[in-house]
mmCIF file of all heavy atoms in Angstrom:
data_model
loop_
_atom_site.group_PDB
_atom_site.id
_atom_site.type_symbol
_atom_site.label_atom_id
_atom_site.label_comp_id
_atom_site.label_asym_id
_atom_site.label_seq_id
_atom_site.Cartn_x
_atom_site.Cartn_y
_atom_site.Cartn_z
ATOM 1 N N VAL A 83 140.956 73.454 -67.759
ATOM 2 C CA VAL A 83 141.447 72.929 -66.486
ATOM 3 C C VAL A 83 142.535 71.890 -66.737
ATOM 4 O O VAL A 83 143.525 71.826 -65.990
ATOM 5 C CB VAL A 83 140.280 72.329 -65.679
ATOM 6 C CG1 VAL A 83 140.792 71.541 -64.475
ATOM 7 C CG2 VAL A 83 139.329 73.426 -65.222
ATOM 8 N N ILE A 87 146.185 71.667 -64.896
ATOM 9 C CA ILE A 87 146.592 70.487 -64.132
ATOM 10 C C ILE A 87 147.888 69.905 -64.687
ATOM 11 O O ILE A 87 148.751 69.440 -63.916
ATOM 12 C CB ILE A 87 145.454 69.450 -64.126
ATOM 13 C CG1 ILE A 87 144.275 69.969 -63.296
ATOM 14 C CG2 ILE A 87 145.935 68.111 -63.590
ATOM 15 C CD1 ILE A 87 144.597 70.293 -61.848
ATOM 16 N N GLN A 102 152.226 73.177 -54.450
ATOM 17 C CA GLN A 102 151.143 73.352 -53.480
ATOM 18 C C GLN A 102 151.012 74.800 -53.046
ATOM 19 O O GLN A 102 149.901 75.279 -52.784
ATOM 20 C CB GLN A 102 151.337 72.459 -52.264
ATOM 21 C CG GLN A 102 150.124 72.469 -51.341
ATOM 22 C CD GLN A 102 150.223 71.469 -50.207
ATOM 23 O OE1 GLN A 102 151.095 70.614 -50.203
ATOM 24 N NE2 GLN A 102 149.335 71.579 -49.246
ATOM 25 N N ARG A 105 148.507 76.798 -55.007
ATOM 26 C CA ARG A 105 147.101 76.372 -55.002
ATOM 27 C C ARG A 105 146.112 77.494 -54.673
ATOM 28 O O ARG A 105 145.116 77.664 -55.390
ATOM 29 C CB ARG A 105 146.943 75.198 -54.027
ATOM 30 C CG ARG A 105 145.564 74.584 -53.987
ATOM 31 C CD ARG A 105 145.596 73.335 -53.106
ATOM 32 N NE ARG A 105 144.298 72.694 -52.966
ATOM 33 C CZ ARG A 105 143.634 72.581 -51.817
ATOM 34 N NH1 ARG A 105 144.163 73.060 -50.698
ATOM 35 N NH2 ARG A 105 142.454 71.983 -51.777
ATOM 36 N N PRO A 106 146.304 78.287 -53.610
ATOM 37 C CA PRO A 106 145.303 79.321 -53.316
ATOM 38 C C PRO A 106 145.130 80.328 -54.442
ATOM 39 O O PRO A 106 144.010 80.792 -54.695
ATOM 40 C CB PRO A 106 145.858 79.999 -52.051
ATOM 41 C CG PRO A 106 146.760 78.982 -51.437
ATOM 42 C CD PRO A 106 147.372 78.258 -52.597
ATOM 43 N N PHE A 108 145.470 79.838 -57.733
ATOM 44 C CA PHE A 108 144.663 79.239 -58.785
ATOM 45 C C PHE A 108 143.207 79.079 -58.343
ATOM 46 O O PHE A 108 142.278 79.270 -59.146
ATOM 47 C CB PHE A 108 145.247 77.886 -59.187
ATOM 48 C CG PHE A 108 146.382 77.988 -60.166
ATOM 49 C CD1 PHE A 108 147.705 77.808 -59.756
ATOM 50 C CD2 PHE A 108 146.149 78.254 -61.493
ATOM 51 C CE1 PHE A 108 148.745 77.902 -60.651
ATOM 52 C CE2 PHE A 108 147.188 78.351 -62.408
ATOM 53 C CZ PHE A 108 148.494 78.170 -61.984
ATOM 54 N N LEU A 109 142.977 78.728 -57.088
ATOM 55 C CA LEU A 109 141.615 78.543 -56.606
ATOM 56 C C LEU A 109 140.838 79.846 -56.629
ATOM 57 O O LEU A 109 139.636 79.856 -56.935
ATOM 58 C CB LEU A 109 141.622 77.979 -55.181
ATOM 59 C CG LEU A 109 142.178 76.583 -54.965
ATOM 60 C CD1 LEU A 109 141.884 76.126 -53.549
ATOM 61 C CD2 LEU A 109 141.608 75.599 -55.959
ATOM 62 N N PHE A 110 141.485 80.938 -56.302
ATOM 63 C CA PHE A 110 140.782 82.218 -56.297
ATOM 64 C C PHE A 110 140.314 82.581 -57.704
ATOM 65 O O PHE A 110 139.211 83.123 -57.892
ATOM 66 C CB PHE A 110 141.678 83.304 -55.708
ATOM 67 C CG PHE A 110 140.969 84.613 -55.457
ATOM 68 C CD1 PHE A 110 139.659 84.636 -55.008
ATOM 69 C CD2 PHE A 110 141.617 85.813 -55.674
ATOM 70 C CE1 PHE A 110 139.006 85.849 -54.768
ATOM 71 C CE2 PHE A 110 140.977 87.022 -55.443
ATOM 72 C CZ PHE A 110 139.670 87.047 -54.996
ATOM 73 N N GLU A 112 139.462 80.408 -60.020
ATOM 74 C CA GLU A 112 138.288 79.567 -60.282
ATOM 75 C C GLU A 112 137.051 80.109 -59.573
ATOM 76 O O GLU A 112 135.939 80.053 -60.117
ATOM 77 C CB GLU A 112 138.554 78.128 -59.841
ATOM 78 C CG GLU A 112 139.628 77.416 -60.641
ATOM 79 C CD GLU A 112 139.282 77.310 -62.120
ATOM 80 O OE1 GLU A 112 138.175 76.836 -62.448
ATOM 81 O OE2 GLU A 112 140.124 77.711 -62.939
ATOM 82 N N PRO A 237 132.652 80.395 -52.603
ATOM 83 C CA PRO A 237 132.161 79.432 -53.590
ATOM 84 C C PRO A 237 131.267 78.364 -52.983
ATOM 85 O O PRO A 237 130.556 77.664 -53.699
ATOM 86 C CB PRO A 237 133.455 78.816 -54.141
ATOM 87 C CG PRO A 237 134.428 78.931 -53.018
ATOM 88 C CD PRO A 237 134.083 80.234 -52.330
ATOM 89 N N LEU A 238 131.271 78.236 -51.649
ATOM 90 C CA LEU A 238 130.573 77.128 -50.994
ATOM 91 C C LEU A 238 129.166 77.494 -50.541
ATOM 92 O O LEU A 238 128.381 76.615 -50.177
ATOM 93 C CB LEU A 238 131.368 76.659 -49.775
ATOM 94 C CG LEU A 238 132.806 76.223 -50.037
ATOM 95 C CD1 LEU A 238 133.466 75.799 -48.742
ATOM 96 C CD2 LEU A 238 132.853 75.109 -51.065
ATOM 97 N N THR A 247 129.708 73.176 -55.836
ATOM 98 C CA THR A 247 130.331 74.101 -56.762
ATOM 99 C C THR A 247 131.487 73.419 -57.474
ATOM 100 O O THR A 247 132.149 72.536 -56.902
ATOM 101 C CB THR A 247 130.843 75.360 -56.029
ATOM 102 O OG1 THR A 247 131.734 76.091 -56.884
ATOM 103 C CG2 THR A 247 131.601 74.995 -54.764
ATOM 104 N N ILE A 248 131.772 73.845 -58.675
ATOM 105 C CA ILE A 248 132.869 73.260 -59.450
ATOM 106 C C ILE A 248 134.223 73.649 -58.878
ATOM 107 O O ILE A 248 135.241 73.025 -59.192
ATOM 108 C CB ILE A 248 132.759 73.704 -60.934
ATOM 109 C CG1 ILE A 248 133.594 72.792 -61.836
ATOM 110 C CG2 ILE A 248 133.155 75.167 -61.091
ATOM 111 C CD1 ILE A 248 133.144 71.343 -61.829
ATOM 112 N N VAL A 249 134.255 74.658 -58.009
ATOM 113 C CA VAL A 249 135.534 75.092 -57.428
ATOM 114 C C VAL A 249 136.117 74.004 -56.525
ATOM 115 O O VAL A 249 137.332 73.791 -56.500
ATOM 116 C CB VAL A 249 135.364 76.409 -56.652
ATOM 117 C CG1 VAL A 249 136.689 76.819 -55.999
ATOM 118 C CG2 VAL A 249 134.876 77.514 -57.573
ATOM 119 N N THR A 250 135.267 73.287 -55.780
ATOM 120 C CA THR A 250 135.809 72.304 -54.842
ATOM 121 C C THR A 250 136.418 71.091 -55.548
ATOM 122 O O THR A 250 137.481 70.628 -55.112
ATOM 123 C CB THR A 250 134.758 71.882 -53.812
ATOM 124 O OG1 THR A 250 133.529 71.555 -54.462
ATOM 125 C CG2 THR A 250 134.494 73.001 -52.834
ATOM 126 N N PRO A 251 135.819 70.526 -56.605
ATOM 127 C CA PRO A 251 136.547 69.472 -57.317
ATOM 128 C C PRO A 251 137.894 69.956 -57.849
ATOM 129 O O PRO A 251 138.887 69.227 -57.806
ATOM 130 C CB PRO A 251 135.601 69.078 -58.460
ATOM 131 C CG PRO A 251 134.253 69.464 -57.995
ATOM 132 C CD PRO A 251 134.453 70.682 -57.131
ATOM 133 N N PHE A 252 137.932 71.189 -58.351
ATOM 134 C CA PHE A 252 139.209 71.740 -58.814
ATOM 135 C C PHE A 252 140.206 71.806 -57.659
ATOM 136 O O PHE A 252 141.376 71.427 -57.809
ATOM 137 C CB PHE A 252 138.996 73.132 -59.419
ATOM 138 C CG PHE A 252 140.260 73.780 -59.911
ATOM 139 C CD1 PHE A 252 140.685 73.623 -61.221
ATOM 140 C CD2 PHE A 252 141.044 74.554 -59.059
ATOM 141 C CE1 PHE A 252 141.854 74.215 -61.671
ATOM 142 C CE2 PHE A 252 142.214 75.146 -59.495
ATOM 143 C CZ PHE A 252 142.625 74.983 -60.813
ATOM 144 N N ALA A 253 139.753 72.286 -56.508
ATOM 145 C CA ALA A 253 140.639 72.401 -55.345
ATOM 146 C C ALA A 253 141.205 71.048 -54.946
ATOM 147 O O ALA A 253 142.389 70.914 -54.625
ATOM 148 C CB ALA A 253 139.885 73.025 -54.174
ATOM 149 N N GLN A 254 140.346 70.024 -54.956
ATOM 150 C CA GLN A 254 140.791 68.699 -54.565
ATOM 151 C C GLN A 254 141.682 68.059 -55.635
ATOM 152 O O GLN A 254 142.657 67.371 -55.314
ATOM 153 C CB GLN A 254 139.581 67.812 -54.267
ATOM 154 C CG GLN A 254 138.721 68.313 -53.130
ATOM 155 C CD GLN A 254 139.523 68.563 -51.865
ATOM 156 O OE1 GLN A 254 140.279 67.714 -51.421
ATOM 157 N NE2 GLN A 254 139.381 69.749 -51.292
ATOM 158 N N LEU A 255 141.350 68.287 -56.891
ATOM 159 C CA LEU A 255 142.178 67.719 -57.956
ATOM 160 C C LEU A 255 143.567 68.345 -57.967
ATOM 161 O O LEU A 255 144.546 67.693 -58.345
ATOM 162 C CB LEU A 255 141.505 67.911 -59.316
ATOM 163 C CG LEU A 255 142.189 67.178 -60.475
ATOM 164 C CD1 LEU A 255 142.198 65.666 -60.245
ATOM 165 C CD2 LEU A 255 141.517 67.509 -61.805
ATOM 166 N N PHE A 256 143.666 69.585 -57.545
ATOM 167 C CA PHE A 256 144.969 70.228 -57.446
ATOM 168 C C PHE A 256 145.886 69.412 -56.546
ATOM 169 O O PHE A 256 147.071 69.196 -56.867
ATOM 170 C CB PHE A 256 144.794 71.650 -56.897
ATOM 171 C CG PHE A 256 145.922 72.580 -57.215
ATOM 172 C CD1 PHE A 256 145.787 73.534 -58.204
ATOM 173 C CD2 PHE A 256 147.121 72.511 -56.532
ATOM 174 C CE1 PHE A 256 146.820 74.402 -58.511
ATOM 175 C CE2 PHE A 256 148.165 73.374 -56.812
ATOM 176 C CZ PHE A 256 148.015 74.336 -57.808
ATOM 177 N N LEU A 257 145.355 68.922 -55.420
ATOM 178 C CA LEU A 257 146.154 68.077 -54.533
ATOM 179 C C LEU A 257 146.515 66.761 -55.208
ATOM 180 O O LEU A 257 147.624 66.248 -55.048
ATOM 181 C CB LEU A 257 145.394 67.818 -53.236
ATOM 182 C CG LEU A 257 145.122 69.038 -52.357
ATOM 183 C CD1 LEU A 257 144.245 68.658 -51.169
ATOM 184 C CD2 LEU A 257 146.417 69.679 -51.878
ATOM 185 N N GLY A 258 145.571 66.188 -55.974
ATOM 186 C CA GLY A 258 145.877 64.978 -56.732
ATOM 187 C C GLY A 258 146.986 65.208 -57.740
ATOM 188 O O GLY A 258 147.847 64.339 -57.951
ATOM 189 N N ALA A 259 146.986 66.388 -58.372
ATOM 190 C CA ALA A 259 148.042 66.721 -59.326
ATOM 191 C C ALA A 259 149.398 66.835 -58.637
ATOM 192 O O ALA A 259 150.433 66.437 -59.192
ATOM 193 C CB ALA A 259 147.700 68.026 -60.048
ATOM 194 N N VAL A 260 149.409 67.376 -57.418
ATOM 195 C CA VAL A 260 150.665 67.437 -56.655
ATOM 196 C C VAL A 260 151.160 66.025 -56.361
ATOM 197 O O VAL A 260 152.367 65.732 -56.505
ATOM 198 C CB VAL A 260 150.463 68.240 -55.358
ATOM 199 C CG1 VAL A 260 151.715 68.170 -54.487
ATOM 200 C CG2 VAL A 260 150.137 69.697 -55.672
ATOM 201 N N ILE A 322 135.981 67.964 -65.116
ATOM 202 C CA ILE A 322 135.724 69.354 -64.718
ATOM 203 C C ILE A 322 135.505 70.222 -65.949
ATOM 204 O O ILE A 322 134.583 71.051 -65.989
ATOM 205 C CB ILE A 322 136.871 69.893 -63.851
ATOM 206 C CG1 ILE A 322 136.993 69.086 -62.555
ATOM 207 C CG2 ILE A 322 136.651 71.370 -63.534
ATOM 208 C CD1 ILE A 322 138.143 69.513 -61.663
ATOM 209 N N VAL A 342 136.898 63.191 -59.345
ATOM 210 C CA VAL A 342 138.045 63.747 -58.623
ATOM 211 C C VAL A 342 138.332 62.941 -57.362
ATOM 212 O O VAL A 342 139.501 62.672 -57.041
ATOM 213 C CB VAL A 342 137.806 65.230 -58.290
ATOM 214 C CG1 VAL A 342 138.850 65.738 -57.284
ATOM 215 C CG2 VAL A 342 137.851 66.071 -59.556
ATOM 216 N N GLN A 346 141.883 61.278 -56.679
ATOM 217 C CA GLN A 346 142.677 61.548 -55.478
ATOM 218 C C GLN A 346 143.093 60.253 -54.785
ATOM 219 O O GLN A 346 144.232 60.125 -54.332
ATOM 220 C CB GLN A 346 141.870 62.407 -54.504
ATOM 221 C CG GLN A 346 141.903 63.889 -54.785
ATOM 222 C CD GLN A 346 141.246 64.646 -53.658
ATOM 223 O OE1 GLN A 346 140.040 64.543 -53.448
ATOM 224 N NE2 GLN A 346 142.017 65.406 -52.928
ATOM 225 N N HIS A 388 145.888 65.877 -46.050
ATOM 226 C CA HIS A 388 144.968 67.013 -46.118
ATOM 227 C C HIS A 388 143.519 66.538 -46.123
ATOM 228 O O HIS A 388 142.653 67.161 -45.513
ATOM 229 C CB HIS A 388 145.244 67.840 -47.377
ATOM 230 C CG HIS A 388 146.385 68.784 -47.228
ATOM 231 N ND1 HIS A 388 147.680 68.365 -47.090
ATOM 232 C CD2 HIS A 388 146.431 70.136 -47.187
ATOM 233 C CE1 HIS A 388 148.476 69.416 -46.972
ATOM 234 N NE2 HIS A 388 147.738 70.499 -47.023
ATOM 235 N N ASN A 389 143.263 65.473 -46.863
ATOM 236 C CA ASN A 389 141.910 64.934 -46.981
ATOM 237 C C ASN A 389 142.013 63.413 -47.001
ATOM 238 O O ASN A 389 142.359 62.841 -48.033
ATOM 239 C CB ASN A 389 141.244 65.414 -48.271
ATOM 240 C CG ASN A 389 141.151 66.931 -48.326
ATOM 241 O OD1 ASN A 389 140.516 67.548 -47.496
ATOM 242 N ND2 ASN A 389 141.812 67.532 -49.292
ATOM 243 N N LYS A 394 137.385 59.552 -49.291
ATOM 244 C CA LYS A 394 137.127 59.649 -50.735
ATOM 245 C C LYS A 394 136.515 58.353 -51.240
ATOM 246 O O LYS A 394 135.513 58.353 -51.975
ATOM 247 C CB LYS A 394 138.421 59.953 -51.483
ATOM 248 C CG LYS A 394 139.149 61.201 -51.026
ATOM 249 C CD LYS A 394 138.346 62.453 -51.312
ATOM 250 C CE LYS A 394 139.086 63.690 -50.837
ATOM 251 N NZ LYS A 394 138.362 64.933 -51.137
ATOM 252 N N GLY A 412 133.225 71.142 -48.876
ATOM 253 C CA GLY A 412 134.375 71.784 -49.495
ATOM 254 C C GLY A 412 135.486 70.822 -49.822
ATOM 255 O O GLY A 412 136.502 71.217 -50.393
ATOM 256 N N LEU A 413 135.322 69.527 -49.469
ATOM 257 C CA LEU A 413 136.358 68.528 -49.715
ATOM 258 C C LEU A 413 135.985 67.581 -50.858
ATOM 259 O O LEU A 413 136.698 66.650 -51.150
ATOM 260 C CB LEU A 413 136.623 67.729 -48.433
ATOM 261 C CG LEU A 413 137.056 68.563 -47.225
ATOM 262 C CD1 LEU A 413 137.312 67.664 -46.027
ATOM 263 C CD2 LEU A 413 138.279 69.409 -47.539
ATOM 264 N N PHE A 414 134.872 67.838 -51.517
ATOM 265 C CA PHE A 414 134.439 67.023 -52.648
ATOM 266 C C PHE A 414 133.975 67.895 -53.817
ATOM 267 O O PHE A 414 133.295 67.443 -54.701
ATOM 268 C CB PHE A 414 133.310 66.086 -52.231
ATOM 269 C CG PHE A 414 133.754 65.024 -51.249
ATOM 270 C CD1 PHE A 414 133.644 65.238 -49.896
ATOM 271 C CD2 PHE A 414 134.297 63.836 -51.701
ATOM 272 C CE1 PHE A 414 134.061 64.277 -48.992
ATOM 273 C CE2 PHE A 414 134.720 62.868 -50.808
ATOM 274 C CZ PHE A 414 134.591 63.089 -49.447
#
Side-chain angles (χ1 to χ4, degrees):
V83 169
I87 291 301
Q102 189 173 349
R105 184 173 178 244
F108 278 104
L109 295 189
F110 189 37
E112 294 299 308
L238 303 180
T247 166
I248 198 62
V249 178
T250 48
F252 180 91
Q254 299 307 310
L255 188 61
F256 202 104
L257 295 175
V260 173
I322 298 177
V342 168
Q346 277 188 293
H388 279 68
N389 300 298
K394 304 295 180 178
L413 302 181
F414 293 92

